[in-house]
Amino acid sequence: MKIKNICCIGAGYVGGPTMAVIAYNCPEYKITIVDSNKSRIDQWNGPVENLPIYEPGLKEIISAVRNKNLFFTNDIEESIDKAGIIFIAVNTPTKTKGEGKGMAADLTNIHKCTEMIARISTSDKIIVEKSTAPVGTGEKIKSVLKSINNKNKFQVISNPEFLAEGTAINDLMNPDRVLIGGDSSKDGEEAANIVANIYKEWIPEDKIILTNLWSSELSKLASNAFLAQRISSINSLSALCEKTGAKINQVSKSVGMDSRIGSKFLQSSVGFGGSCFKKDVLNLVYLSRYYNLPEVAEYWENVLKINEFQKERFAKKINQIFEKEKIQKSISILGWSFKKNTNDSRESASINITKYLLSNSFSVNIYDPKVSDTRILTDLGITDNKKPENLKISSSIRDSLSGSYGICVLTEWDEFKNYDFIRATSILSKPFLFIDGRDFINVDSLIKSYKHVMSLDT
Ligand code: NAD
Ligand code: UGA
């Protein structure tokens, strides 16, 4: 069976880059991306300097494939019906109401897509679950499709995405693995192979793993949980370093040099952010409770508790030092995105820390190279231009530092790593505090220039 017409529902951080990379590597496929957010589609069709997502290398790929074999359109129904393969890459946030509120994944978007596909399809299709969803979602999709449309045949494949923001293009071009989960029936195997054939255009076959639906869904949650767990482990030790005088980067290096442990994801930080770690670990906790495994649930829940502890510990440390020495509470926050090289700020530690500082009477001046002012205000829950007097957003590091008594670096942007914070003391009202929330700046060189120089372990 040769299917060359693909539709992707969801033009976000996953749908956009993933389909762009497939289009780039598979010129014989025609790919159409749709989204219920019309302005997002318009932005994808607009100037490449202003795509809805900032991701290194993305605009070059979009320039190469857009309107050749990759199309962004608001014509959702027609695009779905014409396609033989439909990727569902919609957001699956944590539920805010109903059963499982605050823990389980909200699958409303997936259900809406499934119902629409079932309702409007006039031909057989392969449905690819690209969104991260709990174990059993593929089965649910199958039963909804069957209950609404018994004329066409649908095969459901789980193909979770492992890209990380900021390195998405490289991750998609050279993934560690591609996971494809499907039914063990003949039709199921054929569908899994059709999806595998797309990836085989540029990915070595030994990196493509075929599993059943449930293993594929659980492996995605498990991978994110393991990564989050490593960060919480190192962050928990940074608190112990603060008490004992050990240095967290030395501990991290020593531990990571054990080849059984490995060095990646052992960078201590002010706490992990991003749209997925928290929601996916919560999802795992919910699933464990649902299957009556309270010990398993509690184990993973602690990964999140440590993350909250780390953010709170950091914010309190800043407040305490200003209060102790009765210094005017005015600080510059450098970095709003949850990591460098993305304009995404979902669950960024900067949000919690800034909220804490604002509520403790600090004047805060924020600068980020890529996150928009509107996004920062939305993250802080500030609407209708009701920006409080003690909050400023600047368009350069220099402006953000002007008049401050302290500098708090929260994202590891290269622009901050290379900045001359010694010369910057002349812009500050007083060089009272320098605090590095990413343990990536040579703070020792600043000791003579600031009254207090701190990191995660001091
Ligand atoms: P996103 O919010 O950036 O994009 C999702 C898009 O889907 C939005 O533009 C939204 O308007 C659209 N959408 C929602 N419901 C729709 C509907 N019924 N019809 C049409 N469009 C609809 O989300 P994302 O970051 O791309 O994440 C998508 C999924 O991929 C999530 O399940 C996430 O857990 C998973 N994931 C994300 C990443 C990441 O780095 N962001 C990585 C791997 C996996
Ligand atoms: C993460 C995973 O790395 C991806 O494999 C996965 O596909 C994705 O989630 C998802 O499912 O959404 P992402 O959140 O984009 O990707 O970025 P990461 O590089 O994992 O960073 C997440 C957070 O952890 C960031 O705030 C980062 O600064 C922090 N982090 C990361 C640390 O604090 N220390 C580290 O050593 C690594």
Side-chain angles (χ1 to χ4, degrees):
M1 194 174 17
K2 282 221 159 89
I3 304 175
K4 297 290 177 201
N5 213 335
I6 297 176
C7 171
C8 174
I9 313 178
Y13 284 87
V14 167
T18 309
M19 293 303 125
V21 168
I22 294 181
Y24 185 78
N25 287 294
C26 309
E28 71 281 18
Y29 286 83
K30 181 188 169 203
I31 303 169
T32 308
I33 308 188
V34 298
D35 199 293
S36 50
N37 180 341
K38 286 193 171 51
S39 65
R40 209 164 203 190
I41 291 292
D42 293 343
Q43 231 182 318
W44 278 109
N45 279 323
V48 284
E49 277 66 37
N50 195 26
L51 296 174
I53 288 167
Y54 172 71
E55 191 61 63
L58 178 64
K59 70 174 183 201
E60 289 78 6
I61 294 211
I62 291 289
S63 303
V65 294
R66 193 173 58 182
N67 297 330
K68 291 195 178 96
N69 65 331
L70 180 71
F71 302 87
F72 294 91
T73 171
N74 284 312
D75 209 337
I76 303 184
E77 299 206 351
E78 191 187 325
S79 306
I80 289 176
D81 195 29
K82 277 190 176 160
I85 303 174
I86 299 171
F87 283 80
I88 301 181
V90 297
N91 42 326
T92 48
T94 305
K95 275 179 111 171
T96 52
K97 54 181 190 267
E99 170 95 34
K101 176 182 164 187
M103 292 231 119
D106 183 346
L107 301 179
T108 312
N109 292 335
I110 293 194
H111 290 152
K112 277 190 188 158
C113 294
T114 309
E115 281 162 16
M116 194 189 329
I117 294 167
R119 189 168 44 76
I120 65 177
S121 290
T122 55
S123 59
D124 299 349
K125 298 188 191 309
I126 297 171
I127 313 302
V128 185
E129 181 193 339
K130 181 56 104 179
S131 300
T132 305
V135 189
T137 306
E139 284 300 327
K140 186 86 207 288
I141 294 176
K142 274 194 230 171
S143 73
V144 171
L145 289 167
K146 212 171 168 184
S147 70
I148 300 178
N149 179 330
N150 55 17
K151 290 199 190 93
N152 300 112
K153 278 208 253 170
F154 297 99
Q155 282 301 322
V156 177
I157 297 292
S158 158
N159 170 223
E161 185 47 61
F162 295 100
L163 69 81
E165 290 177 27
T167 53
I169 300 302
N170 187 48
D171 296 342
L172 289 161
M173 286 291 206
N174 310 292
D176 287 344
R177 78 305 210 179
V178 169
L179 187 50
I180 297 174
D183 271 359
S184 55
S185 64
K186 189 170 162 286
D187 286 349
E189 279 176 11
E190 191 187 8
N193 282 324
I194 288 171
V195 176
N197 283 339
I198 301 173
Y199 292 105
K200 280 183 197 163
E201 295 285 336
W202 79 99
I203 295 164
E205 247 182 280
D206 60 355
K207 289 196 169 182
I208 301 174
I209 312 170
L210 299 178
T211 68
N212 70 27
L213 261 180
W214 304 279
S215 302
S216 173
E217 288 169 337
L218 185 57
S219 302
K220 172 61 198 177
L221 292 184
S223 299
N224 274 358
F226 269 63
L227 292 169
Q229 180 216 46
R230 283 175 71 97
I231 304 169
S232 279
S233 298
I234 203 72
N235 282 345
S236 72
L237 294 175
S238 72
L240 202 54
C241 285
E242 186 186 321
K243 299 282 182 203
T244 60
K247 302 294 295 171
I248 194 59
N249 54 8
Q250 294 174 355
V251 174
S252 160
K253 188 171 176 190
S254 314
V255 171
M257 279 177 78
D258 185 325
S259 61
R260 294 167 302 175
I261 298 172
S263 61
K264 291 182 182 165
F265 270 72
L266 289 182
Q267 172 66 47
S268 69
S269 66
V270 62
F272 60 74
S275 62
C276 295
F277 279 175
K278 184 175 171 188
K279 97 170 157 61
D280 292 349
V281 175
L282 280 171
N283 202 341
L284 197 59
V285 172
Y286 180 76
L287 271 178
S288 307
R289 293 231 164 89
Y290 179 83
Y291 287 106
N292 199 20
L293 297 166
E295 292 82 0
V296 179
E298 201 181 328
Y299 174 76
W300 289 110
E301 201 163 32
N302 282 325
V303 169
L304 298 176
K305 281 191 185 155
I306 288 290
N307 201 45
E308 292 310 311
F309 163 76
Q310 183 77 341
K311 289 187 271 186
E312 219 179 284
R313 182 172 83 85
F314 190 85
K316 280 184 178 161
K317 195 150 106 168
I318 299 173
N319 190 35
Q320 274 161 5
I321 198 137
F322 272 83
E323 289 199 344
K324 195 170 154 210
E325 299 195 28
K326 298 191 171 53
I327 293 290
Q328 188 179 318
K329 288 181 167 181
S330 161
I331 198 158
S332 159
I333 299 276
L334 299 183
W336 197 258
S337 57
F338 77 98
K339 63 186 284 199
K340 74 169 180 177
N341 290 340
T342 176
N343 61 345
D344 194 348
S345 59
R346 289 178 285 183
E347 297 293 339
S348 176
S350 301
I351 303 171
N352 304 58
I353 287 159
T354 303
K355 279 184 177 169
Y356 180 91
L357 295 175
L358 287 172
S359 67
N360 278 280
S361 313
F362 272 80
S363 290
V364 175
N365 195 328
I366 302 162
Y367 166 70
D368 186 279
K370 288 290 172 197
V371 183
S372 70
D373 294 13
T374 325
R375 181 72 229 179
I376 294 174
L377 292 177
T378 309
D379 288 338
L380 291 170
I382 298 166
T383 45
D384 304 319
N385 291 332
K386 286 187 184 139
K387 189 150 65 75
E389 292 246 313
N390 58 342
L391 174 69
K392 282 205 179 82
I393 303 174
S394 292
S395 53
S396 69
I397 304 183
R398 201 188 155 83
D399 284 354
S400 155
L401 301 189
S402 174
S404 267
Y405 285 71
I407 303 175
C408 172
V409 189
L410 293 179
T411 313
E412 76 285 19
W413 285 101
D414 292 346
E415 191 181 343
F416 306 153
K417 191 175 175 67
N418 303 325
Y419 198 76
D420 186 345
F421 287 109
I422 298 179
R423 278 185 68 188
T425 51
S426 63
I427 317 166
L428 299 168
S429 273
K430 192 173 186 167
F432 175 66
L433 171 73
F434 185 96
I435 186 159
D436 172 10
R438 293 284 178 165
D439 203 15
F440 79 124
I441 286 171
N442 176 10
V443 287
D444 289 346
S445 68
L446 303 177
I447 286 172
K448 284 195 189 135
S449 308
Y450 291 79
K451 180 153 192 217
H452 296 277
V453 176
M454 297 160 93
S455 192
L456 296 152
D457 54 3
T458 44

